[in-house]
Amino acid sequence: MALFRSREPEAPLPEIDLTRLPRHLAIIMDGNGRWAKRRGLPRTAGHKAGAETFRTIATLCNDLHMEYLTVYAFSTENWKRPQEEVGAIMRLLNNYLHEAISDMEKDNIQLHFFGDLTRLSPELQALCREKDDISRRCTGLNVNICLNYGGRDELVRAARAFARDCADGKADPEALTEQGFERYLFSAGTPDVDLVIRPSGEIRISNFLLWQSAYAEYYFTDVLWPDFDQRELYAAIAEYQSRSRRFGGI
Ligand code: FPP
C-alpha cells in the first residue's frame, strides 16, 4: 500500500470503479505558497490558482455523482499569516461565493460551511447565509468549505454546547452516544469521511476533521494543490479502491 505517490505525467488516466466511489471526500488544499514561489510569483497568486483547482475538482466530483466534498480553505491558525495574505484568501472566497451563488442551481451543487463564521467580514457572512436558501433547492454534490475551522475547536464547541444542554435539563450525560454527540458538530448530518487527500508532500492531519476522519483512508501526493488535476483525483480514488477497509474488524 503506497502512502506517498509521485507524479507520473505520461501515465494514462487511472481506472476507477464508478460504483465504489468514496461517499465523502475531504481535501487539505496545501502547497499554494510553494507553487507560487517556484514561479517567482507572490503567494497570493498560488491561492488564486488553488481556488481554480478547487472549482475544477468540485465540478469533477459533481460529474462523478459523488455525494460530499469537504475542503480546508482557512484554519483557525491561518489568521497568523500576514494580513495581506489573509485578505487575499478572503477576497478569493468572496469572489467564489458570488459566482457559486449565481451558478448554484445550474450546477446543482449544495454549499455549506464548517467553522466559526462570526470572525469573517459582515459581507462574507451575508454571502454565506445567502447560499442557504438556494442550497435547499439543489440535489447534487454537497460542498463543505471549512472556514475559520479547527478540529479541536469544533470538538470544544460541541462539548460546550452539550454541557449547556445538560445544565438546561435538555440532555443527559449518561445517555450520550457517539451519534448523539455528532449532532453538536459543524458537520451534523454529514456521513464520516471515507478518503482524505493531502497534496504537497506534507504527511500530517493539521487539525482537519479529527472526529469525522476516524476511519478515513489517507492519500498523500507530492503534487502541489494548484497542479492537482483529474489524473491526480483518479489516482487517489484508485488507491482508495485498492485498500481493504476493516473499521477495526478483521
Ligand atoms: C494552504 O497552502 C492553503 C491555504 C491556507 C488557503 C487555501 C485557500 C484557497 C485554495 C483559496 C480559496 C478557497 C476557495 C474554496 C475558493 P499554503 O499557503 O500553506 O501553501 P505552502 O505550504 O506551500 O506555503
Side-chain angles (χ1 to χ4, degrees):
M1 176 189 73
L3 182 67
F4 190 95
R5 282 282 162 113
S6 291
R7 191 171 177 75
E8 295 169 30
E10 305 309 324
L13 206 56
E15 274 186 36
I16 57 171
D17 179 348
L18 297 177
T19 65
R20 291 193 304 118
L21 295 170
R23 188 175 180 206
H24 187 171
L25 169 65
I27 305 180
I28 301 176
M29 304 187 289
D30 197 12
N32 298 343
R34 277 164 286 168
W35 182 92
K37 194 173 172 204
R38 283 180 197 174
R39 285 162 178 76
L41 298 169
R43 291 178 56 82
T44 49
H47 295 312
K48 188 164 183 276
E52 287 304 321
T53 300
F54 159 72
R55 281 187 188 83
T56 304
I57 297 301
T59 304
L60 284 168
C61 291
N62 198 32
D63 291 348
L64 285 169
H65 301 295
M66 281 167 58
E67 287 182 68
Y68 297 89
L69 170 67
T70 303
V71 293
Y72 211 175
F74 197 85
S75 76
T76 44
E77 289 74 35
N78 285 154
W79 296 105
K80 292 184 226 154
R81 293 185 178 214
Q83 216 179 332
E84 187 203 337
E85 185 171 339
V86 172
I89 295 174
M90 293 300 158
R91 277 193 296 281
L92 285 167
L93 283 160
N94 199 307
N95 293 347
Y96 170 70
L97 279 171
H98 275 290
E99 280 171 36
I101 285 168
S102 65
D103 288 352
M104 248 159 104
E105 286 188 276
K106 172 170 71 65
D107 296 343
N108 198 23
I109 283 179
Q110 309 178 56
L111 201 54
H112 312 277
F113 291 93
F114 294 172
D116 174 16
L117 304 184
T118 60
R119 204 172 158 186
L120 306 180
S121 71
E123 191 196 347
L124 209 44
Q125 289 187 49
L127 282 171
C128 293
R129 279 192 301 272
E130 198 182 318
K131 54 82 199 157
D132 281 339
D133 282 347
I134 313 172
S135 267
R136 274 189 276 275
R137 297 198 289 273
C138 298
T139 54
L141 178 72
N142 283 277
V143 173
N144 306 309
I145 299 183
C146 294
L147 198 46
N148 191 22
Y149 172 88
R152 286 183 173 180
D153 180 63
E154 178 180 37
L155 292 170
V156 169
R157 281 166 191 278
R160 200 184 291 138
F162 175 69
R164 221 181 284 125
D165 277 354
C166 290
D168 291 348
K170 292 186 213 154
D172 170 9
E174 299 310 320
L176 183 65
T177 60
E178 292 182 7
Q179 286 79 4
F181 189 68
E182 271 169 6
R183 286 201 290 272
Y184 292 89
L185 300 175
F186 291 126
S187 60
T190 306
D192 276 355
V193 173
D194 297 301
L195 172 63
V196 177
I197 297 176
R198 181 164 196 160
S200 92
E202 308 291 355
I203 304 183
R204 55 176 170 267
I205 301 172
S206 299
N207 206 11
F208 185 47
L209 302 176
L210 299 178
W211 175 283
Q212 299 83 347
S213 300
Y215 279 100
E217 297 296 322
Y218 281 81
Y219 179 85
F220 299 100
T221 170
D222 56 359
V223 168
L224 302 174
W225 175 246
D227 290 329
F228 196 92
D229 57 10
Q230 185 180 25
R231 183 183 312 284
E232 286 297 324
L233 178 68
Y234 276 45
I237 294 174
E239 170 69 26
Y240 163 81
Q241 291 179 336
S242 75
R243 305 253 179 104
S244 157
R245 300 185 77 195
R246 295 185 292 279
F247 299 95
I250 51 170

